[in-house]
Amino acid sequence: MFLMNTNPSYKAPLDPRDAETLGVEAAATVERFLSYRENNAETPLVSLPGLARNLGVSSIHMKDEGFRLGLGSFKALGGSYAVIRLVLEEASRQLSRLVDISELNTPEVLAIAKTMTVACATDGNHGRSVAQGAQLVGANAAIFVHWGVSDERVAAIGRFGAEMIRVAGTYDDSVKEAARVANERGWTIVSDTSWPDYERIPGLVMQGYTAIFGEALRKMPETPTHVFVQSGVGGIAAAAAGHLAILLGDERPIFTVVDPSRAACIVETARAGHPVVIPHGEPTIMAMLECYEPSLVAWRILSRVADAFMTVEDTDAIAVMKRLANPIDSDPAVVSGESGGVGLAGLIRAIGDPASQAALNLGPQSRILLVNTEGATDPSRYAEIVGETADEVSNRNLGASA
Ligand SMILES: Cc1ncc(COP(=O)(O)O)c(C=O)c1O
């Protein structure tokens, strides 16, 4: 399915709250916070000229978030950032003065953090980030996971010392259960999705994601004409579209949101013109995108600054993982997990369909920006699908540059 944005709020200015959340000043704060992280490094912006030639566009750049903060996905930027912000805010409140990030490891801030518990529901990657943030500041973390989350993903979160809580049902059930228990016990929910009267913390999580696009624009030889970003609840797509609209104004790229067809809550929301909860169907291989209810803040942003919405199939996601692992010409190989290359799957589908291609004005002049949102965050699943381990695929690049 492919549809252009026909919502009444399309091209309206961003809501002032969202403009502040995703603005230049906010993005500068994110980068300052990142500079205090031990394993901070810009992620690679991979140029894929062979693929661009093959698809008939001018260039393709892919920001590879598989390398982000040692966590394997862009989610590393959001949850942990929000946890640090919340601890500093609580310390400022208790100490009656503004507490700066440079004081994070002081005994008085650590003592306050120790009394705090942060909680969230996760498909895997967001929980890993929240748990890492909690460990970093010395707070407690309780992470809720539904039945479908693999043991490997659960173990990867537990390694950060978080209490892991299994919940029957789907991701959306785990979101509700996390909110219920946290409310009962006085924990702070650090969710990557928002609902009525719960916007600020998901806004901080999205604010963390802006770093990807600031880094990308500084490295790209020219600004992109098109951006394709995949969506679960819509957080990263909204952060990207909103931040790029603020940075580039009328020169902003044409922005397409890409959903799995089996969990297309953003596409269905765009079709209905208001947030909708979609029925549960068969699980999708794009496990991190399996969300049935959009984030309200994300939709408020996307309804204004996204240009198009589309779905891709599980087979598209698998094909893209293999294609990125086995590049053409001298393109580097990219290790991309099941949900990582879905923006590229959207580009390929749009180019293959004359109506979508024309609607998006995609052609030989187009400069594409994509985000590989995860590496092999579930290594055995990755090897099963691609037929090689993530190490074998990335070692191919070492061979090529030797
Ligand atoms: C690897 C990956 N890509 C994309 C997404 C989608 O992000 P959002 O839920 O903010 O739309 C997620 C969400 O967990 C993810 O883990």
Side-chain angles (χ1 to χ4, degrees):
M1 189 191 305
F2 177 91
L3 52 140
M4 295 301 284
N5 190 348
T6 54
N7 284 274
S9 51
Y10 180 44
K11 295 209 165 156
L14 289 174
D15 182 289
R17 289 166 292 179
D18 302 328
E20 191 184 330
T21 299
L22 302 177
V24 174
E25 222 173 286
T29 304
V30 172
E31 298 215 24
R32 185 167 124 71
F33 272 49
L34 275 173
S35 72
Y36 282 86
R37 301 285 294 266
E38 237 174 43
N39 44 3
N40 179 43
E42 281 198 14
T43 54
L45 180 73
V46 181
S47 175
L48 299 167
L51 182 62
R53 262 191 306 279
N54 185 262
L55 294 178
V57 294
S58 170
S59 65
I60 297 178
H61 286 92
M62 182 174 248
K63 190 76 173 140
D64 190 355
E65 292 299 303
F67 292 92
R68 187 65 74 177
L69 293 169
L71 284 199
S73 88
F74 81 98
K75 287 271 161 183
L77 287 167
S80 60
Y81 169 72
V83 170
I84 296 169
R85 287 276 307 244
L86 292 169
V87 165
L88 293 178
E89 281 175 15
E90 180 58 19
S92 300
R93 197 184 65 78
Q94 290 194 25
L95 301 173
S96 308
R97 64 177 179 81
L98 200 65
V99 177
D100 184 68
I101 172 90
S102 56
E103 302 174 65
L104 200 56
N105 291 320
T106 58
E108 50 183 357
V109 175
L110 284 172
I112 291 166
K114 223 167 117 180
T115 65
M116 294 174 69
T117 300
V118 289
C120 73
T122 188
D123 271 336
N125 291 334
H126 174 64
R128 215 179 283 195
S129 183
V130 169
Q132 188 195 43
Q135 188 180 59
L136 201 81
V137 297
N140 311 291
I143 311 292
F144 292 71
V145 286
H146 63 89
W147 287 128
V149 180
S150 71
D151 289 340
E152 201 153 344
R153 287 189 186 278
V154 171
I157 304 169
R159 255 175 245 133
F160 292 103
E163 180 188 350
M164 301 303 300
I165 301 159
R166 280 268 189 201
V167 176
T170 65
Y171 170 73
D172 300 280
D173 296 316
S174 63
V175 170
K176 290 190 182 81
E177 181 63 2
R180 189 189 67 75
V181 176
N183 193 29
E184 221 171 70
R185 305 204 186 159
W187 297 345
T188 305
I189 278 281
V190 181
S191 174
D192 56 356
T193 190
S194 73
W195 50 82
D197 300 325
Y198 179 74
E199 292 195 353
R200 179 158 184 275
I201 293 174
L204 288 176
V205 171
M206 287 166 52
Q207 189 170 86
Y209 305 156
T210 58
I212 302 169
F213 303 94
E215 288 177 11
L217 287 193
R218 286 198 294 269
K219 281 269 162 66
M220 285 186 79
E222 284 182 89
T223 53
T225 58
H226 294 77
V227 180
F228 288 75
V229 174
Q230 53 271 53
S231 72
V233 298
I236 184 179
H243 189 54
L244 289 170
I246 291 168
L247 290 182
L248 301 172
D250 290 343
E251 304 296 305
R252 72 172 180 77
I254 296 172
F255 195 94
T256 304
V257 183
V258 187
D259 246 348
S261 66
R262 291 181 180 176
C265 69
I266 296 290
V267 168
E268 289 305 329
T269 289
R271 205 146 72 115
H274 57 85
V276 294
V277 181
I278 58 166
H280 296 181
E282 265 189 273
T284 166
I285 193 160
M286 295 166 256
M288 302 298 106
L289 311 184
E290 192 168 317
C291 305
Y292 299 96
E293 202 168 340
S295 160
L296 293 189
V297 174
W299 172 244
R300 189 166 67 209
I301 296 165
L302 291 171
S303 64
R304 289 164 167 79
V305 292
D307 299 290
F309 304 89
M310 66 183 296
T311 56
V312 293
E313 303 302 321
D314 279 19
T315 45
D316 297 324
I318 293 170
V320 146
M321 288 172 77
K322 293 182 176 166
R323 193 160 178 169
L324 286 167
N326 300 285
I328 47 174
D329 298 348
S330 48
D331 283 358
V334 176
V335 173
S336 180
E338 302 93 280
S339 304
V342 176
L344 173 58
L347 169 69
I348 293 170
R349 241 183 200 261
I351 284 177
D353 170 48
S356 325
Q357 184 177 19
L360 293 175
N361 196 21
L362 272 169
Q365 307 306 322
S366 303
R367 302 183 296 274
I368 316 290
L369 174 62
L370 305 167
V371 183
N372 178 33
T373 53
E374 68 175 351
T377 52
D378 190 338
S380 29
R381 199 85 215 272
Y382 179 85
E384 215 174 276
I385 294 169
V386 173
E388 281 176 293
T389 66
D391 279 349
E392 282 165 346
V393 171
S394 39
N395 284 343
R396 199 169 292 141
N397 292 337
L398 297 178
S401 61

